[in-house]
Amino acid sequence: MNTDKKEFITSSEEETENIGKSLAMSLSKGDAVLLRGNLGAGKTVFSRGFARGLGITEPVSSPTYTIVQEYELPDGGRLYHLDLYRISGVNAALAFGVDEFLDDPQGISLIEWPDRIDGILPENAICVEIEHLSDSERRLTICR
């Protein structure tokens, strides 16, 4: 159960990326992060920093049309960046094989629009909510 809650206000993309980077550096293989926020809130910016925190240097983009982007981790394993915006529910996610990404003990999953698959999300997942406050400001709430 998530009990530790931290809130951050960022005023630039760099600050949002740094929060993502810092969080990623605190994770272990097998962990999952649920990333919530409206369109344009800054999920891709956060994801870019998150990937950098795991040592990934290649370009990071939103997997909106591909559902998942996979990135090799420098020490083995993979980052699975899932965007479930176009998934209609748990059955569609299972048909796509989303459970294989979530169950990979050598992987770290970063899941955008996780509410689409509530029934199969890892119980111990970390939640990150990004709220658009202004053109430059975001509120990030992290629950562990």
Side-chain angles (χ1 to χ4, degrees):
M1 181 173 168
N2 297 327
T3 56
D4 184 23
K5 187 176 191 177
K6 293 184 180 172
E7 189 173 285
F8 305 89
I9 303 292
T10 64
S11 57
S12 69
E13 285 191 5
E14 181 181 9
E15 289 179 8
T16 300
E17 282 186 24
N18 285 338
I19 300 290
K21 181 177 182 179
S22 178
L23 176 62
M25 292 171 69
S26 74
L27 299 182
S28 302
K29 289 180 182 165
D31 285 344
V33 174
L34 312 179
L35 186 54
R36 293 182 172 94
N38 292 331
L39 291 171
K43 294 184 299 294
T44 300
V45 171
F46 179 89
S47 299
R48 192 168 47 230
F50 188 87
R52 299 293 172 259
L54 295 174
I56 296 165
T57 58
E58 64 190 276
V60 174
S61 60
S62 177
T64 301
Y65 296 101
T66 58
I67 310 295
V68 65
Q69 296 276 21
E70 296 183 38
Y71 302 93
E72 292 284 335
L73 298 175
D75 61 347
R78 294 184 175 273
L79 166 62
Y80 301 110
H81 182 189
L82 297 114
D83 185 329
L84 304 178
Y85 184 74
R86 299 189 181 288
I87 293 287
S88 60
V90 171
N91 289 337
L94 292 172
F96 186 78
V98 166
D99 53 325
E100 294 176 29
F101 304 118
L102 300 178
D103 294 340
D104 182 353
Q106 294 300 308
I108 293 177
S109 298
L110 179 62
I111 307 160
E112 295 186 36
W113 302 98
D115 298 338
R116 307 256 195 234
I117 61 165
D118 263 343
I120 61 170
L121 291 171
E123 288 183 27
N124 61 344
I126 296 162
C127 300
V128 176
E129 183 151 352
I130 303 176
E131 187 181 350
H132 183 199
L133 300 178
S134 71
D135 285 346
S136 60
E137 286 189 322
R138 304 293 188 267
R139 176 184 295 125
L140 284 79
T141 306
I142 301 173
C143 299
R144 288 185 179 251

